[in-house]
Each structure stands twice: as structure tokens, then as C-alpha cells.
């Protein structure tokens, strides 16, 4: 394995960080930004919102939208980061919490990599700091033996730290953030010292609605956050716009062969997911059962990308029902028994007789045969 510096050519990176992918946009926004900036911020709050939602600069430069949703939600999130309160983004899986968190950090401090991934096995050292044990054994506790974690690095740099899936972390690890968020300092008792946060430091955490009850936040920790709920897209057109944009971006990133990404099939995927998610058909004429999975916008994007890959390498370069059928079934049928019943019932009562869905119905039946 070869470790490379963070400055490596992003053209070879499979998934560049937001500040790398959109470096030109961030630079142009900063050059045109004459509004007051909070201490330590790369852009003003208004420019951060413009970066996230898209705008056109005075010279005609287009800033592409990174998040499709209500402007007030984004403004509230940005305004929170300009205060002394941390930001908690909550929503069902697939509502772009991680995506928004990354782009917020990239726009505010130019670095989205100060990240802690929350899991049941996340330790306190991952959040705060650890030790180089070879030096610790040889020299004892010293600043040179200290290995700062992402939160400590963000504090010392005056940057944004990110904590993904906060409620997945053990409660005792979560509560290690209380002092950081309330006192803006991180004690290092082994050295009789502390790290004080520089101006510009703040923290963005994400949590899933589905994880309530896993490791609920203590009231003391929750008070340190301003909570912003990210909803699922309100309309089919809004979700279609999100899926289409992300599919195009991912296709370029993966350097996939050119495929005619038929809007008809993308719309069909979005329609199936929305109907099964909501439990009612698009026109409100019939109720349907919902499967156990979330069928999020993120899963719709993944399904379309999978279909495009099939079409590019094993099809005729045109996205067709047969290309998305397996992906949809895989997303819907998480439990072969209960979800299988839901899916078969949807096919027979909704898809079979819907105008223009005959080929899709047959493709799905063939996959499930």
C-alpha cells in the first residue's frame, strides 16, 4: 500500500472531496464575495447558501446546485454554524444529510475531511485523541506522542468537524462531546493541558430517524445542538431532479461509457419508490403495501446507476426497463418473504395494467422468476 499526500491529482481519485471537485466554484465565490464573513470562514453565510443552492455570479459564471430543497432549511443550517451552537442534521436514510454536511464543511472552512464515522465500535479516542504507543512507551506522555483526532484537529485549526451517524455511537462516547461543545475546549489530563478551539470551529453531526432508540442523545448533549430536519422531497418532480443531477455527476465521476439515460426510466424508478414509500399510488386511486426498507432517494440514484452500468456494458446503450428491473427488486425486497409479497402485489395490481409499463412489468416478472 502506498500512502499519498492530500494534494494528489484529484483526476485519479475515485471520489474527490467536495472542496476538490468544486474548487473553482469556491474560489470564484470567494473572489466575488464582499459580505462580512464570520471569523475563520472562507465565505460569508450568504455565499455558502449560494454555493449549496446554486446561483449565477455577476460575470455570468454558473454555480451548480449541490442540494435541492427548501432555502430556509439551508439558511437555518448555515446560520447555526455562525453561532456557538453545533448543528444536528436529522432525517430518514437517503435525505442527503451526509451530502449536505460535506458541502457545508467545504464551503465554510475549505476542508470536509475532519470526519468521525459513528458506529457501535467508535471509541472515545476516535473522537478526541489517541497515542503513538511506541513513543508513549519510550518517552511517556508527551505532545509528540499525542495523536489528535478529527475533532481536536478542527478545534486547533478553527475548522468544521463532522460526526456521521451520531446516534450509532455508544452513549459514553457521545457525551465526550459535551465539554467540546459547551466549553469549546478539549482537556488532555495526561499532559495537564487543553486544546482551546479557535474561531471558526464548529461541529456538524448527522443522525437517522430510523435510529431512534439505538443510542439516544442525552438531554445535556442535545441542548448543545440546533436540530435541522431534512425532509424527503415533497414532489415527484423535485425527487426526479435530484436523482437526475446526481446520476449525471456520478456518471462523470465513474467515467462510464455514454448511455442515453432515458428520463422515462428514471421517472419510473422514482415513481415506484415514492408509491411504495408512501403506501398510495401517484394519482391517489389505490393503496399499496410498503416494504420494510426505506426506498430513499439515495437508493433510487443507486438503482439508476446500476441500470446505466448494465446498459453500457451489456446492453445497447439505451436505458431500458430490463436494466432497472433487477435493481428495483433488490432495493424493495429486503426480506424475501414479507417484502416479496409486497413487491408481487404491487406488480400485479399497479404495474401490470398501467399504460406504458408493460415492458417493465414483464422484465420484473422475468427477474423474479
Amino acid at each position: 500500500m502506498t500512502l499519498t499526500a492530500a494534494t494528489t491529482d484529484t483526476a485519479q481519485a475515485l471520489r474527490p472531496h467536495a472542496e476538490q471537485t468544486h474548487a473553482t466554484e469556491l474560489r470564484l465565490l470567494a473572489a466575488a464575495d464582499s459580505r462580512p464573513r464570520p471569523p475563520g470562514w472562507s465565505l460569508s453565510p450568504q455565499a455558502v447558501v449560494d454555493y449549496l443552492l446554486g446561483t449565477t455570479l455577476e460575470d455570468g459564471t454558473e454555480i451548480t446546485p449541490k442540494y435541492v430543497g427548501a432555502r430556509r432549511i439551508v439558511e437555518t443550517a448555515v446560520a447555526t454554524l455562525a453561532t456557538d451552537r453545533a448543528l444536528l442534521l436529522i432525517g430518514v436514510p437517503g435525505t442527503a444529510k451526509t451530502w449536505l454536511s460535506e458541502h457545508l464543511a467545504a464551503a465554510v472552512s475549505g476542508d470536509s475531511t475532519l470526519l468521525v464515522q459513528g458506529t457501535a465500535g467508535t471509541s472515545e479516542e476516535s473522537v478526541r485523541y489517541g497515542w503513538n504507543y511506541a513513543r508513549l512507551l519510550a518517552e511517556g506522555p508527551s505532545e509528540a506522542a499525542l495523536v489528535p483526532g478529527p475533532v481536536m484537529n478542527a478545534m486547533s485549526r478553527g475548522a468544521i468537524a463532522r460526526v456521521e451517524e451520531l446516534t450509532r455511537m455508544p452513549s459514553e462516547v457521545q457525551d465526550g462531546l459535551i465539554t467540546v461543545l459547551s466549553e469549546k475546549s478539549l482537556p488532555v489530563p495526561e499532559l495537564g493541558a487543553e486544546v482551546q478551539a479557535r474561531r471558526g470551529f464548529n461541529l456538524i453531526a448527522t443522525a437517522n430517524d430510523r435510529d431512534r432508540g439505538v443510542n439516544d442523545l442525552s438531554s445535556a448533549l442535545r441542548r448543545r445542538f440546533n436540530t435541522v430536519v431534512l425532509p424527503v422531497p415533497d414532489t415527484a418532480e423535485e425527487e426526479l431532479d435530484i436523482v437526475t443531477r446526481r446520476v449525471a455527476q456520478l456518471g462523470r465521476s465513474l467515467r462510464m461509457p455514454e448511455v442515453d439515460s432515458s428520463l422515462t426510466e428514471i421517472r419510473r424508478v422514482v415513481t415506484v419508490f415514492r408509491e411504495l414509500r408512501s403506501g398510495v399510488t401517484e394519482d391517489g386511486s389505490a393503496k399499496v403495501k410498503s416494504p420494510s426498507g426505506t426506498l430513499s432517494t439515495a437508493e433510487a440514484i443507486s438503482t439508476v446507476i446500476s441500470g446505466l452500468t448494465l446498459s453500457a456494458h451489456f446492453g445497447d446503450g439505451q436505458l431500458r426497463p430490463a436494466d432497472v428491473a433487477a435493481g428495483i427488486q433488490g432495493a424493495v425486497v429486503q426480506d424475501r418473504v414479507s417484502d416479496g409479497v409486497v413487491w408481487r402485489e404491487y406488480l400485479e395490481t399497479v404495474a401490470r395494467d398501467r399504460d406504458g409499463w408493460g415492458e417493465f412489468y414483464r422484465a420484473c416478472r422475468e427477474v423474479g422468476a
Side-chain angles (χ1 to χ4, degrees):
M1 179 178 69
T2 302
L3 297 179
T4 54
T7 55
T8 298
D9 183 6
T10 60
Q12 299 303 316
L14 182 60
R15 203 279 197 186
H17 302 300
E19 61 273 17
Q20 297 171 327
T21 301
H22 301 285
T24 300
E25 290 188 358
L26 290 168
R27 176 175 53 79
L28 293 174
L29 274 168
D33 186 14
S34 60
R35 300 179 184 89
R37 305 178 188 182
W41 282 40
S42 301
L43 299 171
S44 69
Q46 182 60 60
V48 173
V49 172
D50 288 343
Y51 166 77
L52 289 165
L53 297 180
T55 190
T56 302
L57 300 181
E58 290 185 0
D59 63 0
T61 301
E62 290 288 334
I63 304 298
T64 58
K66 316 303 180 301
Y67 176 78
V68 177
R71 186 177 191 87
R72 182 53 82 182
I73 289 177
V74 176
E75 290 175 342
T76 302
V78 173
T80 295
L81 295 175
T83 70
D84 64 346
R85 291 176 67 82
L87 173 63
L88 177 61
L89 301 174
I90 283 185
V92 299
T95 47
K97 299 179 296 297
T98 298
W99 182 256
L100 182 57
S101 164
E102 178 185 1
H103 283 281
L104 280 167
V108 170
S109 55
D111 186 357
S112 64
T113 66
L114 300 173
L115 172 67
V116 177
Q117 179 61 56
T119 68
T122 300
S123 65
E124 193 169 355
E125 288 78 10
S126 301
V127 176
R128 295 157 65 88
Y129 59 87
W131 297 95
N132 179 326
Y133 287 103
R135 300 197 69 160
L136 185 65
L137 291 172
E139 307 169 3
S142 66
E143 188 171 344
L146 187 72
V147 179
V151 174
M152 178 180 279
N153 275 327
M155 295 175 71
S156 62
R157 298 179 195 174
I160 299 292
R162 300 167 55 210
V163 178
E164 292 296 317
E165 307 289 359
L166 178 61
T167 51
R168 289 283 177 182
M169 292 163 48
S171 298
E172 62 272 17
V173 179
Q174 293 177 13
D175 287 343
L177 293 170
I178 292 177
T179 301
V180 169
L181 298 181
S182 59
E183 304 298 326
K184 301 297 186 290
S185 66
L186 180 54
V188 186
E190 296 89 343
L191 301 180
E194 66 176 5
V195 174
Q196 291 186 314
R198 295 180 57 184
R199 293 186 181 276
F201 166 74
N202 212 326
L203 186 141
I204 306 171
T206 67
N208 286 327
D209 277 352
R210 294 291 180 95
D211 287 343
R212 286 177 178 171
V214 176
N215 289 303
D216 286 337
L217 304 184
S218 66
S219 58
L221 181 57
R222 186 174 283 276
R223 286 198 305 271
R224 271 67 183 183
F225 285 99
N226 187 30
T227 300
V228 172
V229 178
L230 299 185
V232 295
D234 288 334
T235 67
E237 290 303 318
E238 185 176 299
E239 188 161 5
L240 179 65
D241 183 31
I242 295 170
V243 174
T244 304
R245 288 177 185 273
R246 285 292 293 136
V247 165
Q249 291 168 351
L250 285 170
R252 289 192 296 269
S253 175
L254 296 172
R255 298 187 178 181
M256 290 173 52
E258 286 294 327
V259 173
D260 183 0
S261 54
S262 168
L263 195 61
T264 299
E265 295 311 319
I266 299 178
R267 184 182 295 276
R268 198 189 320 271
V269 172
V270 170
T271 298
V272 171
F273 278 36
R274 288 183 69 86
E275 289 182 335
L276 288 171
R277 195 166 62 212
S278 64
V280 64
T281 55
E282 200 171 40
D283 59 6
S285 63
K287 291 185 177 181
V288 297
K289 294 177 182 177
S290 295
S292 59
T294 58
L295 299 183
S296 66
T297 306
E299 289 167 301
I301 294 166
S302 178
T303 298
V304 175
I305 285 291
S306 176
L308 289 172
T309 305
L310 281 171
S311 178
H313 296 294
F314 304 105
D316 61 2
Q318 169 75 42
L319 185 63
R320 300 187 182 280
D323 299 319
V324 299
I328 292 179
Q329 179 171 301
V332 174
V333 183
Q334 300 295 313
D335 181 280
R336 289 185 60 86
V337 178
S338 61
D339 293 340
V341 171
V342 170
W343 180 231
R344 287 190 296 272
E345 184 175 308
Y346 178 84
L347 288 176
E348 297 303 325
T349 60
V350 178
R352 185 179 65 180
D353 299 323
R354 182 172 276 173
D355 289 343
W357 282 45
E359 186 181 349
F360 174 73
Y361 169 76
R362 291 188 293 274
C364 290
R365 288 298 303 269
E366 183 179 339
V367 169

